[in-house]
Coordinates of all heavy atoms in Angstrom, one line a residue:
S257 N -2.5 5.0 -23.7 CA -1.7 3.7 -23.9 C -2.4 2.5 -23.4 O -2.0 1.4 -23.5 CB -0.4 3.8 -23.0 OG -0.8 3.8 -21.6
N258 N -3.8 2.7 -23.1 CA -4.5 1.7 -22.5 C -5.8 1.7 -23.0 O -6.6 2.5 -22.7 CB -4.5 1.8 -21.0 CG -5.3 0.7 -20.2 OD1 -6.2 0.1 -20.7 ND2 -4.6 0.2 -19.1
G259 N -6.2 0.6 -23.9 CA -7.5 0.6 -24.6 C -8.7 0.6 -23.6 O -9.6 1.3 -24.0
K260 N -8.6 -0.3 -22.6 CA -9.7 -0.4 -21.8 C -10.0 1.0 -21.0 O -11.1 1.5 -20.9 CB -9.4 -1.5 -20.7 CG -10.7 -2.0 -20.0 CD -10.5 -3.2 -19.2 CE -10.6 -4.4 -20.0 NZ -10.5 -5.8 -19.2
A261 N -8.8 1.7 -20.6 CA -9.0 3.0 -19.8 C -9.6 4.0 -20.8 O -10.4 4.7 -20.5 CB -7.5 3.3 -19.4
M262 N -9.1 4.0 -22.0 CA -9.6 5.0 -23.0 C -11.1 4.8 -23.2 O -11.9 5.7 -23.3 CB -8.9 4.7 -24.4 CG -8.9 5.8 -25.4 SD -8.0 7.1 -24.6 CE -8.2 8.3 -25.9
T263 N -11.5 3.5 -23.4 CA -13.0 3.2 -23.6 C -13.8 3.7 -22.4 O -14.9 4.2 -22.4 CB -13.2 1.7 -23.8 OG1 -12.5 1.3 -24.8 CG2 -14.7 1.5 -24.2
R264 N -13.2 3.4 -21.1 CA -14.0 3.8 -20.0 C -14.1 5.5 -19.8 O -15.1 5.9 -19.4 CB -13.2 3.3 -18.7 CG -13.5 1.6 -18.8 CD -12.9 1.1 -17.5 NE -13.5 1.4 -16.2 CZ -13.0 1.3 -15.0 NH1 -11.8 0.9 -14.8 NH2 -13.7 1.7 -13.9
V265 N -13.0 6.1 -20.1 CA -13.0 7.6 -20.1 C -13.9 8.1 -21.2 O -14.8 9.1 -21.0 CB -11.6 8.1 -20.3 CG1 -11.7 9.7 -20.4 CG2 -10.8 7.8 -19.1
L266 N -14.0 7.4 -22.4 CA -15.0 7.8 -23.4 C -16.4 7.8 -23.0 O -17.2 8.7 -23.2 CB -14.7 6.9 -24.6 CG -15.2 7.6 -26.0 CD1 -14.8 8.9 -26.5 CD2 -15.0 6.6 -27.2
A267 N -16.7 6.5 -22.3 CA -18.0 6.3 -21.9 C -18.3 7.5 -20.8 O -19.5 8.0 -20.7 CB -18.2 5.0 -21.2
A268 N -17.4 7.7 -19.9 CA -17.6 8.7 -18.8 C -17.7 10.0 -19.5 O -18.6 10.8 -18.9 CB -16.4 8.7 -17.9
A269 N -17.1 10.4 -20.5 CA -17.2 11.7 -21.1 C -18.5 11.9 -21.7 O -19.2 13.0 -21.6 CB -16.1 11.8 -22.3
E270 N -19.2 10.8 -22.4 CA -20.4 10.9 -23.0 C -21.5 11.2 -21.8 O -22.4 12.1 -22.0 CB -20.8 9.6 -23.7 CG -22.1 9.9 -24.4 CD -22.7 8.6 -24.9 OE1 -22.1 7.5 -24.8 OE2 -23.8 8.7 -25.6
K271 N -21.2 10.6 -20.7 CA -22.1 10.9 -19.6 C -22.0 12.3 -19.1 O -23.1 12.8 -18.9 CB -21.7 9.9 -18.4 CG -23.0 9.2 -17.7 CD -22.6 8.0 -17.0 CE -22.9 8.0 -15.4 NZ -22.1 6.9 -14.8
V272 N -20.9 12.7 -19.0 CA -20.7 14.1 -18.5 C -21.2 15.1 -19.5 O -22.0 16.0 -19.1 CB -19.1 14.4 -18.4 CG1 -19.0 16.0 -18.4 CG2 -18.5 13.7 -17.1
K273 N -21.1 14.9 -20.8 CA -21.7 15.7 -21.8 C -23.2 15.8 -21.5 O -23.8 16.9 -21.7 CB -21.4 15.2 -23.1 CG -22.1 15.8 -24.2 CD -21.8 15.1 -25.6 CE -22.5 13.8 -25.6 NZ -22.4 13.0 -26.9
K274 N -23.8 14.7 -21.3 CA -25.4 14.6 -21.2 C -25.7 15.3 -19.9 O -26.7 16.1 -19.9 CB -25.7 13.2 -21.1 CG -25.7 12.4 -22.5 CD -26.4 11.1 -22.3 CE -26.3 10.3 -23.7 NZ -26.7 8.9 -23.4
I275 N -24.9 15.1 -18.8 CA -25.3 15.8 -17.6 C -25.2 17.3 -17.8 O -26.0 18.1 -17.3 CB -24.4 15.3 -16.4 CG1 -24.7 14.0 -16.0 CG2 -24.6 16.3 -15.1 CD1 -23.6 13.4 -15.1
L276 N -24.2 17.8 -18.5 CA -24.1 19.2 -18.8 C -25.0 19.8 -19.6 O -25.2 21.1 -19.9 CB -22.6 19.4 -19.4 CG -21.4 19.3 -18.4 CD1 -20.1 19.4 -19.2 CD2 -21.5 20.1 -17.2
S277 N -26.0 19.0 -20.3 CA -27.0 19.6 -21.1 C -28.1 20.1 -20.1 O -28.9 21.0 -20.6 CB -27.6 18.6 -22.1 OG -26.6 18.2 -23.0
A278 N -28.2 19.7 -19.0 CA -29.1 20.0 -18.1 C -28.6 20.7 -16.7 O -29.4 21.2 -15.9 CB -30.1 18.8 -17.7
N279 N -27.3 20.7 -16.6 CA -26.6 21.2 -15.4 C -25.5 22.1 -15.7 O -25.0 22.0 -16.8 CB -26.2 19.9 -14.4 CG -27.3 19.1 -14.1 OD1 -28.1 19.3 -13.1 ND2 -27.5 18.0 -14.9

Side-chain angles (χ1 to χ4, degrees):
S257 69
N258 182 322
K260 198 172 277 186
M262 200 66 182
T263 308
R264 290 181 71 195
V265 174
L266 192 59
E270 195 197 351
K271 219 157 122 195
V272 163
K273 173 189 68 177
K274 288 184 182 173
I275 295 171
L276 288 176
S277 293
N279 300 275

